[in-house]
Amino acid sequence: MSAGSPTASVTSTPLPEVFRRIGPQMVALDRFMQEQVTSFEPEIRSMAAYCLESSGKRLRPTLVFISGWRGEGVVNDALVRASGVVEMVHLATLVHDDIMDRADLRRNRHTAAREFGPDAAVLLGDALFSQALHVASQFPTTEVCRVVSESTRKVCSGEIMQTLHRRDLTVSREDYWRMIDLKTAELFRVACFLGARLSGFSPEFVQAANDFGRHLGIAYQIYDDLVDFLGEEKSIGKTLGTDLASGKLTLPLMLLLERLSAPERAGLIEALRGGKPLPLTASVERMRALGIADGVALAVDEELARARAVLAPHAALDPVPLMLQLAEMLKSQLSGLYSGAAKP
Amino acid sequence: MSAGSPTASVTSTPLPEVFRRIGPQMVALDRFMQEQVTSFEPEIRSMAAYCLESSGKRLRPTLVFISGWRGEGVVNDALVRASGVVEMVHLATLVHDDIMDRADLRRNRHTAAREFGPDAAVLLGDALFSQALHVASQFPTTEVCRVVSESTRKVCSGEIMQTLHRRDLTVSREDYWRMIDLKTAELFRVACFLGARLSGFSPEFVQAANDFGRHLGIAYQIYDDLVDFLGEEKSIGKTLGTDLASGKLTLPLMLLLERLSAPERAGLIEALRGGKPLPLTASVERMRALGIADGVALAVDEELARARAVLAPHAALDPVPLMLQLAEMLKSQLSGLYSGAAKP
């Protein structure tokens, strides 16, 4: 899933305060994830450990912690477990995504599919899903299980839609929004919901956190699709994104299709339809001239504005400054990406 | 998974009374499964319906209903939902198994992998898992979610073990027992546990039902491995089982390896190791002479005896006669298979 591609290296922005402040929570989460390994059957423990030890960004746990923020040094065990549940679901989706994308590497090491073979990886992802739900079932009420299982189903639905619509040029903006809402924003939303809810905030703030998570998730996915589109070397003529290679219709590609000259457009469509190598030799300069990143930035900004707006009535609450910081961080990353793109 | 291969046609035994008696429960289950379809996102509803409409044997729901049997015509909504949960988990594992087995057909129609492609099938299986857990989370307490999620993890672990040990001739009887205990007996066990538990039986009977389910599940899987081994045409020289083709070490294959003459054995081992077509030209007569089915029948009988024994202290309870009938049915199917095998 593009939502999990490594993007940390893209930005040169210093790590925002928010990550320093949730340090103790992240330490507790790391311990929790290590403990989870022993819950798996001995025969598959090392495989489970391989997946859980992943040194990802832990973005979803961050959302749980900041949405449930009750002040410096307060480490709430329920938040740690909830963040572990959400992260395990996310890691399970990555294991399955990497099978479908035939990806060999993630975060500079072999994917589970490459390490253990695609068949074992299908089952390993299933086992991670199951364990996530098992932890969810250890809360006093069924609520965590209920929201996480529903959310997981939605994430899968979004991914199915994207898979079925590969190389489908009839995908509309609305379809794209719907897909990323399900496949990415859904888990961001649940992370924020659970953080606020398990910390005992008012129903109004729980709802606001929920909506914040959703808008942030949409913004994040659009941003992530641009990262993939521009490719690691930030040179579209050289390294085309994996999404592009697999024919996933994303916002940057939609913009490109709209803005290319007629012959270029026809060539791109033909290549997309036929599964051929894409005929793009355009440089980053050309992407700039076509305003692709500008168009994406506009869409991201709009979602971030919505995310900020839902928090406005709750500005006095402890979590809000941290949540706004995270939104700001995404905006800076986007600017960094774009200004980076300006200097090939 | 072999646990789901079509075996109904193998027996000529008339449908036992037990299936007639749980008719009203099965009608309620069918309605419940149809209703589930609308819980999926509109975009994947027809795909979910395709998987849920499967006309399988509904063996696990049967176990829920008979373990919680409270008399003719008593349709307990909790049992219907629990049986739906267990069946959905089972159907999800079938969707994933068929990807791994590269199977095109199941129950005389396309597998999900063939119908929608393997990538969509991975995600569709995930969505079915999620929905199963979502229904589990709608019980008043977390118990159903807890036992089902743990059980699902164990089923996956058993399948991972089997996948990793394909063509591995060092697999011992103990390894085989452990694998089928996890991949098949686990869900049988949970089905019986939930039936007895949700019908409010004593903790002692709940435990007995739990253990009955486990032994029955082991017996069933050994039986099912024999069905696969003998092949649909009951002529091993003609149609080799899919397990055999994929190099899964099962009890019939273990017995065969033990009992073949040295040169035949060497040839079989070489073929298994090299992924080559198996050099067996032996007829069903030869299988009989080697006592393969006898050896399997002995193992099945032992597990069935254990299953019956745990119920002995509870003979006066309503569910017990039906549970014993189901065990008897498996025994008859095995005899039918074997006597069928005697007449090529």
Side-chain angles (χ1 to χ4, degrees), chain B residues 53-233:
Chain B
E53 274 162 13
S54 136
S55 55
K57 296 185 293 295
R58 307 267 202 228
L59 202 46
R60 292 150 195 83
T62 300
L63 290 171
V64 175
F65 293 135
I66 65 172
S67 302
W69 186 253
R70 284 291 194 184
E72 212 76 46
V74 181
V75 180
N76 177 340
D77 177 57
L79 292 197
V80 173
R81 284 182 293 138
S83 71
V85 169
V86 172
E87 185 69 2
M88 264 195 280
V89 167
H90 173 59
L91 293 175
T93 67
L94 295 187
V95 168
H96 283 179
D97 288 343
D98 288 337
I99 300 168
M100 291 180 281
D101 294 344
R102 281 88 186 152
D104 284 338
L105 287 176
R106 176 179 290 277
R107 292 168 195 146
N108 301 316
R109 56 176 207 159
H110 282 167
T111 59
R114 169 68 192 273
E115 191 70 13
F116 309 115
D119 290 351
V122 170
L123 297 163
L124 189 56
D126 294 345
L128 291 170
F129 269 130
S130 307
Q131 181 59 16
L133 269 302
H134 190 58
V135 175
S137 73
Q138 287 158 359
F139 282 84
T141 73
T142 57
E143 184 175 38
V144 179
C145 223
R146 207 171 62 241
V147 300
V148 171
S149 57
E150 178 157 47
S151 189
T152 303
R153 192 194 66 227
K154 289 185 175 177
V155 170
C156 299
S157 300
E159 300 236 27
I160 291 174
M161 287 172 66
Q162 190 164 58
T163 301
L164 295 180
H165 288 296
R166 276 184 199 158
R167 303 184 182 279
D168 173 3
L169 292 158
T170 67
V171 170
S172 68
R173 297 278 175 104
E174 289 68 30
D175 295 332
Y176 171 69
W177 245 256
R178 165 90 173 143
M179 283 189 262
I180 66 177
D181 189 11
L182 289 169
K183 82 163 191 163
T184 305
E186 183 55 33
L187 217 48
F188 276 57
R189 180 190 73 70
V190 160
C192 293
F193 170 86
L194 287 175
R197 174 96 174 134
L198 294 170
S199 270
F201 283 101
S202 70
E204 292 73 23
F205 178 65
V206 172
Q207 183 64 50
N210 183 84
D211 297 347
F212 169 85
R214 189 177 170 207
H215 292 301
L216 188 76
I218 292 176
Y220 178 80
Q221 188 57 57
I222 297 173
Y223 159 78
D224 205 54
D225 285 344
L226 181 65
V227 172
D228 185 276
F229 187 79
L230 293 183
E232 225 167 276
E233 278 82 32

Side-chain angles (χ1 to χ4, degrees), chain A residues 205-224:
Chain A
F205 179 65
V206 172
Q207 183 64 50
N210 183 84
D211 298 347
F212 169 85
R214 189 176 170 208
H215 292 301
L216 188 76
I218 292 176
Y220 178 80
Q221 187 57 57
I222 298 173
Y223 159 78
D224 205 54

Side-chain angles (χ1 to χ4, degrees), chain A residues 108-134:
Chain A
N108 300 317
R109 55 176 209 159
H110 282 166
T111 59
R114 169 69 192 272
E115 190 71 13
F116 310 116
D119 290 352
V122 169
L123 297 162
L124 189 57
D126 293 346
L128 291 170
F129 268 131
S130 307
Q131 181 60 16
L133 269 303
H134 190 57

Side-chain angles (χ1 to χ4, degrees), chain A:
Chain A
M1 171 159 64
S2 344
S5 58
T7 56
S9 60
V10 168
T11 179
S12 56
T13 319
L15 208 65
E17 190 201 350
V18 57
F19 287 111
R20 185 187 56 70
R21 295 186 73 184
I22 60 168
Q25 281 88 341
M26 281 295 171
V27 170
L29 174 64
D30 283 342
R31 198 182 315 122
F32 175 85
M33 296 294 262
Q34 282 160 22
E35 286 162 8
Q36 285 308 300
V37 172
T38 59
S39 298
F40 289 83
E41 282 51 53
E43 296 88 348
I44 71 158
R45 222 164 260 174
S46 64
M47 299 168 76
Y50 188 86
C51 298
L52 294 175
E53 275 163 11
S54 137
S55 55
K57 295 186 293 295
R58 307 264 202 230
L59 201 46
R60 291 149 194 83
T62 300
L63 289 171
V64 175
F65 293 134
I66 64 172
S67 302
W69 186 254
R70 283 291 192 185
E72 213 75 46
V74 182
V75 180
N76 178 339
D77 177 58
L79 291 197
V80 174
R81 283 183 294 137
S83 71
V85 169
V86 172
E87 185 68 3
M88 264 195 280
V89 167
H90 173 59
L91 293 174
T93 66
L94 295 187
V95 168
H96 283 179
D97 288 342
D98 288 337
I99 300 168
M100 292 180 280
D101 293 344
R102 282 87 185 151
D104 284 339
L105 287 176
R106 176 178 291 276
R107 291 170 193 144
N108 300 317
R109 55 176 209 159
H110 282 166
T111 59
R114 169 69 192 272
E115 190 71 13
F116 310 116
D119 290 352
V122 169
L123 297 162
L124 189 57
D126 293 346
L128 291 170
F129 268 131
S130 307
Q131 181 60 16
L133 269 303
H134 190 57
V135 175
S137 73
Q138 287 157 358
F139 282 84
T141 74
T142 56
E143 184 175 37
V144 179
C145 224
R146 206 170 66 241
V147 300
V148 171
S149 57
E150 178 158 47
S151 189
T152 303
R153 192 195 67 228
K154 289 185 175 177
V155 170
C156 299
S157 300
E159 300 236 26
I160 292 174
M161 288 172 66
Q162 190 164 59
T163 301
L164 296 180
H165 288 297
R166 275 183 200 160
R167 302 183 183 278
D168 173 2
L169 292 158
T170 68
V171 169
S172 67
R173 297 277 177 106
E174 288 69 31
D175 295 331
Y176 172 68
W177 244 258
R178 166 88 174 144
M179 283 190 263
I180 65 177
D181 189 12
L182 290 169
K183 81 162 192 163
T184 306
E186 184 54 32
L187 217 48
F188 276 57
R189 180 190 72 71
V190 159
C192 293
F193 171 86
L194 287 175
R197 174 95 173 133
L198 294 170
S199 270
F201 283 101
S202 70
E204 292 74 24
F205 179 65
V206 172
Q207 183 64 50
N210 183 84
D211 298 347
F212 169 85
R214 189 176 170 208
H215 292 301
L216 188 76
I218 292 176
Y220 178 80
Q221 187 57 57
I222 298 173
Y223 159 78
D224 205 54
D225 285 344
L226 181 65
V227 172
D228 186 275
F229 187 78
L230 293 182
E232 226 168 274
E233 279 80 36
K234 293 180 195 162
S235 155
I236 195 167
K238 197 176 165 195
T239 308
L240 285 166
T242 54
D243 287 347
L244 205 52
S246 71
K248 277 184 206 162
L249 266 284
T250 61
L251 186 59
L253 182 56
M254 287 177 179
L255 290 171
L256 185 64
L257 281 165
E258 282 168 19
R259 295 176 187 184
L260 281 175
S261 68
E264 281 180 311
R265 188 165 178 271
L268 181 53
I269 288 174
E270 199 191 324
L272 276 170
R273 285 209 176 116
K276 286 184 220 155
L278 299 182
L280 292 173
T281 50
S283 64
V284 173
E285 289 305 320
R286 180 128 173 68
M287 291 299 109
R288 278 188 82 201
L290 290 167
I292 303 300
D294 278 338
V296 169
L298 189 67
V300 171
D301 279 347
E302 278 174 11
E303 286 300 328
L304 290 179
R306 288 185 188 115
R308 279 191 300 268
V310 295
L311 294 182
H314 308 279
L317 291 180
D318 286 339
V320 173
L322 293 174
M323 295 165 89
L324 293 175
Q325 251 187 53
L326 208 72
E328 195 51 43
M329 187 187 94
L330 183 57
K331 204 175 155 71
S332 312
Q333 284 203 320
L334 187 69
S335 312
L337 185 64
Y338 188 35
S339 64
K343 294 168 257 152

Side-chain angles (χ1 to χ4, degrees), chain B residues 10-66:
Chain B
V10 168
T11 178
S12 57
T13 320
L15 208 66
E17 191 201 352
V18 58
F19 288 110
R20 186 187 56 70
R21 296 186 73 185
I22 60 168
Q25 281 88 341
M26 281 295 171
V27 170
L29 175 64
D30 283 342
R31 197 182 316 120
F32 174 85
M33 296 294 263
Q34 281 160 23
E35 286 163 7
Q36 284 308 301
V37 172
T38 59
S39 298
F40 289 83
E41 282 51 53
E43 294 89 347
I44 71 158
R45 223 165 259 174
S46 64
M47 299 167 75
Y50 188 87
C51 298
L52 294 176
E53 274 162 13
S54 136
S55 55
K57 296 185 293 295
R58 307 267 202 228
L59 202 46
R60 292 150 195 83
T62 300
L63 290 171
V64 175
F65 293 135
I66 65 172

